[in-house]
Structure formats: structure tokens, C-alpha cells
Amino acid sequence: MKRIVIGMAAAMSLFATGAMAADLAARPYVKAPPMVAAAYNWTGFYIGGNIGYSWGRSRDDSTLTTPAGAVLFASSDRANMDGVIGGGQIGYNWQVQNWVWGLEADIQGSDQKGSRAFTCPTGVCTPPFGVIAVFPGPAVPVTLDQKLDWFGTVRGRVGILATPTVLFYGTGGLAYGEVKTTETIGAAAAVFSNSDVRVGYTVGAGVEGVISGNWTAKLEYLWMDLGRTRGSFTTAIGALGGGVLTSNYSSRITDNILRVGVNYKFGGPVVAKY
């Protein structure tokens, strides 16, 4: 009897093992789910701030004239207008595959300023066109100080992705800014000032990359041309017998801007990519 029970148990064990093996063999093979990669989505609004340094230039042509309009003296020179800049920007990007298109506007405060001086010599002043005008009196010193108080740009951007999170781009568009000119004329130090909002253009390039989540950082260079700012100041000069002397200036303002910035993009930072 004992042998019969042991034999039945062994048979049942073999049957169960075979059934489990058959069941496993009958199940279809299921492929593991594909890996899901994450790619940064550049499309959307962003806002940020920046700081940098600017190497500006003022290329100035100035003249001193009599009340009748006769040119007594002419001077042409340039002055550096360097300084720290800082401000904020806002924009929108559209991503199409590896291309990113965008619009950006920024406003900057500026510490850029420069100065130049010239002197109409005693007795005779010679304009550049060769006409000699007699100036019966002492030398007249003139100092021209200029400052770019603030400026802004409205630009288009187009770039290509080197990687999903690194963008190289070119940019260009409208530029505008306020140039303040202060001029000191004569030994009596008559001081005059004028502010002029100029409109010009800007072009440049930069690189921007994701640093964490919705945050990006950028390095950007811009060339800016605000065109010419002009003005004239009139002062009494005793050496002219109580007459007046008019100083006229015409300065072309250009700028080399290098700045770093950070942006925060609204919306999700990534999209699924299979």
C-alpha cells in the first residue's frame, strides 16, 4: 500500500511539472516597452534678465560759426563711450524640428559715457576746406561730453539646435536709445545740454543652453548703430565785440555689446520622444 501511495505522488508531481512547462511554452512573447527619451521644447514665451559691458563710439564733426554763419573752425574726432549695461528681455520661440524662430524685445540701462575736447586757436582758425577765417580773440576751448542713458531693441531670432538643449542663433532688428550731450564752450565755461532719442538698427549672434528645467542661459554679442545725433549751442563771446558764437555738433553713435543672461520659459520644459 505504501508503495502505491508513493507511486501516485510521484506521478502527480510529474504531471504538474509538465503542465506548468506546457503553460509557459504556450504564452506568447511580449516585447519590453521602448525607452522614452526627453527632448527640450523651445516653443513658448520666456522672460529674463541680462548684464554685460559695452564698447561704444561717438564719431563727431563739430564747427564753430559766427552769427552770419561763417565757419571759424571745424574739428572731427571720435571718443570712446564704454560702460556697464544691464536690463531685461521678453520673447517667444517657435521650434520646427531642429530650427528655432523667435521674437525678442529688451530694454537696457547704461553707464556708457565719453568725452572729447578741441580748441579754436588764437587769431586764425583754418577750416578743413582751406578757407582761412580771422578770429580776433583768444582761443576758445570746447568740451563735448556724451552719455548713452538707456537703449532697447526689438529683434527677430533664428537658430539651429546643435543638441536638443543647445541653440546657436543669429539676431537683428530695430534699436533705439537716448543720447545726452553736454557741451562746455569758452573760458567762461558756458554749459549747454541736449537729449536726443535716436532710432537705428542692430545685428548679432549668440548661444543659449538649458541649465535646469525651464531655465536657460545665454551669451550674446550685438552691434548697434543709432545713427547721428545733432545739435547747436550759442553763447556770447566778449572777444567778438559782444557778439555770439555758435557751436554745432553731429555725432554718429555706434556700440559693441557683449552680455550674458538667463531666461525662464513658461510651459513644460520637455516633450516625449520615442
Side-chain angles (χ1 to χ4, degrees):
M1 184 64 179
K2 184 175 181 181
R3 292 179 180 177
I4 294 174
V5 172
I6 292 174
M8 291 178 64
M12 291 178 66
S13 176
L14 290 173
F15 176 78
T17 302
M20 290 178 64
D23 183 59
L24 290 173
R27 291 183 179 181
Y29 173 74
V30 178
K31 186 179 179 180
M35 296 292 292
V36 178
Y40 189 83
N41 178 17
W42 289 84
T43 298
F45 285 100
Y46 62 88
I47 190 170
N50 66 80
I51 190 170
Y53 198 82
S54 191
W55 295 265
R57 298 292 181 270
S58 171
R59 292 171 174 83
D60 176 67
D61 300 314
S62 290
T63 60
L64 296 177
T65 62
T66 66
V71 177
L72 296 174
F73 183 70
S75 174
S76 296
D77 203 350
R78 64 180 184 177
N80 295 336
M81 294 177 61
D82 303 340
V84 177
I85 61 170
Q89 66 271 351
I90 187 171
Y92 189 90
N93 286 324
W94 295 268
Q95 180 178 349
V96 181
Q97 297 180 347
N98 287 338
W99 291 92
V100 177
W101 309 81
L103 290 173
E104 183 174 288
D106 67 86
I107 190 73
Q108 306 290 136
S110 170
D111 189 39
Q112 294 176 249
K113 53 192 174 184
S115 179
R116 87 175 190 91
F118 58 92
T119 301
C120 179
T122 302
V124 177
C125 296
T126 306
F129 43 81
V131 178
I132 299 177
V134 177
F135 182 23
V140 178
V142 179
T143 301
L144 193 71
D145 299 300
Q146 292 179 309
K147 185 178 188 300
L148 183 59
D149 283 332
W150 58 268
F151 66 90
T153 71
V154 179
R155 296 169 287 107
R157 300 201 317 170
V158 58
I160 188 167
L161 295 171
T163 72
T165 57
V166 177
L167 173 69
F168 289 91
Y169 64 88
T171 184
L174 177 74
Y176 56 96
E178 182 179 17
V179 181
K180 182 177 181 180
T181 301
T182 301
E183 192 166 55
T184 304
I185 306 173
V191 181
F192 306 89
S193 64
N194 180 50
S195 291
D196 189 16
V197 176
R198 304 304 306 157
V199 177
Y201 71 92
T202 182
V203 294
V207 58
E208 187 171 359
V210 180
I211 52 177
S212 178
N214 290 53
W215 291 94
T216 64
K218 70 174 183 177
L219 174 66
E220 185 175 72
Y221 167 80
L222 294 177
W223 158 265
M224 183 172 69
D225 189 336
L226 292 178
R228 285 192 172 272
T229 178
R230 295 177 171 88
S232 62
F233 306 112
T234 300
T235 182
I237 300 295
L240 293 178
V244 295
L245 182 69
T246 300
S247 176
N248 310 280
Y249 69 90
S250 175
S251 305
R252 183 186 176 195
I253 307 299
T254 59
D255 221 349
N256 292 277
I257 301 161
L258 185 65
R259 59 190 182 184
V260 295
V262 293
N263 288 324
Y264 179 84
K265 190 182 83 69
F266 297 96
V270 297
V271 294
K273 179 181 178 181
Y274 295 90

